[in-house]
Amino acid sequence: MTKQSGNNQNLDLGVYPSISDPLFKKLRDFIYVRTGISMKPHKKVLIANRLRKRVRNLGLSSYDEYYNYLIENEAIELENFIDSVSTNETFFFRGKDHFDVLSQFLLPELFRKKDRINIWSAACSSGEEPYTLRIIINDIISSLGRGVAKIIATDISHEIIEKAKTGIYKNYSTRFVPSATLKRYFQKEGEVYKLKEAVKKGVQFKVQNLLHDRPPDNNFDIIFCRNVMIYFDRKTKQRIADDVFAEVLQPDGYLFIGHSESLNYVSSRFKYVRKLNAPVYMLK
Ligand SMILES: C[S@@+](CC[C@H](N)C(=O)[O-])C[C@H]1O[C@@H](n2cnc3c(N)ncnc32)[C@H](O)[C@@H]1O
């Protein structure tokens, strides 16, 4: 790829780079088709900021050039593109109500009926959510004295899945972990917290695109898919809830979504069940 100039968006001249409206529309359409994420117009600056490093690293001089590069080299660039534009905000014990409802009601109820349960943390980002699940389930299993839980965690981003596998976190991620839990399941090394091997080994990570790839298994008792559907439009939410989750959730299983998300008037296959303050869904 040759470096071109003659474009106002030259990234090396110190000019604040911007993405033109027509290019933003092309990028939005591309993101929507590949990931299901529906980018609002006010996200243009955010996307420019996130892609700037990638454009520079490739030695390109404009976002237009980058778009052409992406289209021509999709097989090799798509992964980097998705890594650059996805929002990975997460932390341990995020949405505490969900973990309370699980440990107080749903897990004891499920373990009364069966010895083995299967859990999917979909769109898991850097692993804090599935590892929180592993921690609370380990505690339940030791207090019950029996039970096995398999946890599979998936995300569209290769980079974030590699980070999740390391099990190494900064204080920001662990800030809501109760101190006894921190002591029991983490090893502090300098500025970072390292998850103990037993927790790390208890989560299986995989790259998976909710929109285009098969689910990682076909019989889940619990599915967590939190704080990602907020980026999807109604049609995509319905497709993921009704054609993906409803197909692999057990009839007595539970689907957890984020506190600011809802499947009411979206899904025809799920019903809302109120448990503490947590938005939890079951199949109709
Ligand atoms: C804000 S994080 C949510 C993490 C975690 N579930 C939580 O609630 O803390 C959203 C994640 O969704 C992932 N994501 C976005 N589109 C996706 C798709 N189509 N398939 C799978 N994961 C996707 C992103 O890579 C990102 O890691």
Side-chain angles (χ1 to χ4, degrees), residues 220-245:
F220 290 101
D221 300 288
I222 292 167
I223 298 175
F224 265 57
C225 182
R226 305 182 311 158
N227 307 303
V228 62
M229 287 211 254
I230 199 165
Y231 302 110
F232 296 157
D233 63 9
R234 193 175 178 283
K235 196 170 127 212
T236 309
K237 275 186 222 173
Q238 179 180 22
R239 189 171 143 195
I240 289 173
D242 291 353
D243 301 346
V244 180
F245 295 147

Side-chain angles (χ1 to χ4, degrees), residues 34-37 82 86-91 94 121-126 129 154-157 160 208-211 225-228 231-232 240:
R34 300 308 185 283
T35 69
I37 295 171
I82 288 175
S86 43
T87 299
N88 304 119
E89 164 71 7
T90 187
F91 45 87
R94 180 182 195 180
S121 166
C124 67
S125 188
S126 36
E129 178 180 282
T154 58
D155 198 279
I156 194 172
S157 162
I160 212 74
Q208 191 252 6
N209 184 336
L210 280 168
L211 213 62
C225 182
R226 305 182 311 158
N227 307 303
V228 62
Y231 302 110
F232 296 157
I240 289 173

Side-chain angles (χ1 to χ4, degrees), residues 15-208:
V15 178
Y16 191 79
S18 71
I19 293 178
S20 65
D21 287 340
L23 177 64
F24 184 59
K25 185 179 176 320
K26 286 197 259 181
L27 286 168
R28 276 175 67 186
D29 291 347
F30 186 90
I31 293 170
Y32 180 72
V33 173
R34 300 308 185 283
T35 69
I37 295 171
S38 207
M39 284 278 166
K40 301 276 177 324
H42 69 271
K43 293 281 169 83
K44 198 170 92 164
V45 174
L46 180 85
I47 293 299
N49 288 341
R50 291 203 178 153
L51 286 179
R52 186 181 306 132
K53 193 167 150 212
R54 187 72 198 136
V55 179
R56 279 202 185 120
N57 286 349
L58 285 167
L60 304 175
S61 58
S62 74
Y63 292 109
D64 286 283
E65 256 187 39
Y66 177 71
Y67 178 74
N68 294 337
Y69 175 83
L70 175 63
I71 298 299
E72 283 162 22
N73 302 279
E74 184 173 334
I76 52 167
E77 183 57 16
L78 182 65
E79 215 176 291
N80 285 310
F81 177 72
I82 288 175
D83 288 341
S84 309
V85 298
S86 43
T87 299
N88 304 119
E89 164 71 7
T90 187
F91 45 87
F92 283 90
F93 288 90
R94 180 182 195 180
K96 188 175 169 299
D97 291 338
H98 288 157
F99 300 107
D100 288 346
V101 90
L102 266 179
S103 50
Q104 290 170 28
F105 299 109
L106 307 184
L107 288 170
E109 174 194 307
L110 284 167
F111 279 128
R112 264 196 296 278
K113 292 190 276 187
K114 45 186 116 182
D115 283 335
R116 307 180 75 87
I117 62 169
N118 221 3
I119 299 174
W120 179 13
S121 166
C124 67
S125 188
S126 36
E128 287 87 332
E129 178 180 282
Y131 285 134
T132 303
L133 286 165
R134 183 77 267 167
I135 286 169
I136 66 151
I137 290 170
N138 280 4
D139 286 347
I140 293 274
I141 289 174
S142 33
S143 73
L144 292 175
R146 63 180 185 84
V148 176
K150 179 173 159 195
I151 303 178
I152 302 182
T154 58
D155 198 279
I156 194 172
S157 162
H158 287 69
E159 193 179 332
I160 212 74
I161 286 292
E162 287 311 307
K163 182 173 184 317
K165 286 181 187 168
T166 66
I168 301 174
Y169 296 97
K170 295 201 175 129
N171 194 36
Y172 176 84
S173 283
T174 58
R175 69 198 189 279
F176 296 122
V177 180
S179 54
T181 307
L182 206 56
K183 246 196 195 141
R184 185 155 175 211
Y185 291 109
F186 293 81
Q187 191 84 47
K188 182 143 201 252
E189 280 190 31
E191 290 301 297
V192 297
Y193 291 91
K194 293 188 170 179
L195 271 169
K196 292 197 176 155
E197 228 25 60
V199 182
K200 257 175 74 176
K201 278 204 311 234
V203 178
Q204 201 182 311
F205 288 98
K206 261 180 126 170
V207 174
Q208 191 252 6

